[in-house]
Amino acid sequence: KFIEAMKWGRLFGGAGALIMIDGHEGMLDQPLNLEHIMPDSFCGLMVLDRWSGLSPTGDLVTDHRDPEYGLPKYYNITTQTQETFKVHHSRLLRFIGRDVPRWEKQAEMYWGVSEVEHVFEELRKRDNISWNVVMLTFRANLLALKMSDLGQTLTSTAPQAQQQIYNTLSAQNEI
């Protein structure tokens, strides 16, 4: 689950893993107290990405001694059954994508950005280039030179008539 959360964090710009402790179901909005955790009560991690199920609230951690200082204090988790519950930040492991400057981090609701965003524009350019090559190949198969008197001009012994055809084809080739 830890590796899954890391992958989702990089892919979606942010993910979280809720630390599930047996017997703590009713106190998820309270800070995690290690003294209250019984042996063998760890039930695993529930991984959620920032776009489907995990959203920070407006409250920020104001205690400068807390490692999460300046980040959201609580998160709302929405389950697949559309139940929503509030979780204290100490019960959640955060995985962010590529870090961004503070002003953009605020706009991204204190998450990072997806690693895909940095390569997306280059992928789009390459896709456009390959599509243009296909269209040019298609057009090249459709375009043709039509001259009503081409046969007569080619059989003509006048060198300037043949030179005129050669000049026309050369100009088209360059274009």
Side-chain angles (χ1 to χ4, degrees):
K1 291 292 185 171
F2 193 83
I3 292 171
E4 179 183 1
M6 286 186 348
K7 287 180 184 177
W8 285 16
R10 291 190 68 204
L11 179 63
F12 298 115
L18 176 64
I19 303 168
M20 297 187 300
I21 308 290
D22 192 27
H24 285 221
E25 296 84 8
M27 48 185 167
L28 293 175
D29 60 341
Q30 299 170 15
L32 182 62
N33 187 341
L34 299 178
E35 303 290 326
H36 296 141
I37 299 175
M38 301 303 294
D40 297 325
S41 62
F42 176 68
C43 298
L45 299 172
M46 182 171 75
V47 179
L48 302 151
D49 70 80
R50 67 179 276 201
W51 299 111
S52 56
L54 182 61
S55 59
T57 65
D59 303 333
L60 299 179
V61 177
T62 55
D63 182 4
H64 67 277
R65 294 169 300 207
D66 191 322
E68 299 288 311
Y69 174 72
L71 294 173
K73 187 172 186 176
Y74 296 100
Y75 292 84
N76 288 324
I77 292 180
T78 306
T79 64
Q80 292 176 343
T81 59
Q82 300 307 312
E83 293 179 79
T84 301
F85 51 95
K86 191 175 184 178
V87 175
H88 190 266
H89 75 276
S90 62
R91 296 179 178 271
L92 190 74
L93 301 174
R94 282 174 41 96
F95 299 87
I96 64 165
R98 192 173 285 206
D99 205 11
V100 292
R102 181 137 185 92
W103 60 269
E104 190 173 350
K105 188 179 285 190
Q106 289 172 343
E108 294 288 340
M109 298 185 341
Y110 298 96
W111 297 110
V113 294
S114 172
E115 293 290 336
V116 177
E117 282 187 40
H118 299 282
V119 297
F120 188 72
E121 198 60 39
E122 291 301 317
L123 289 173
R124 186 181 319 187
K125 287 177 193 175
R126 280 159 180 74
D127 182 49
N128 287 340
I129 288 170
S130 64
W131 182 247
N132 287 337
V133 168
V134 168
M135 291 306 297
L136 287 173
T137 304
F138 179 73
R139 285 200 54 183
N141 289 331
L142 292 180
L143 296 177
L145 175 63
K146 292 183 180 180
M147 295 177 71
S148 58
D149 59 344
L150 179 62
Q152 292 173 350
T153 308
L154 287 175
T155 58
S156 168
T157 57
Q160 69 256 31
Q162 292 177 354
Q163 185 63 39
Q164 184 181 3
I165 291 175
Y166 176 77
N167 290 345
T168 302
L169 293 175
S170 293
Q172 284 182 334
N173 188 36
E174 283 189 36
I175 291 174

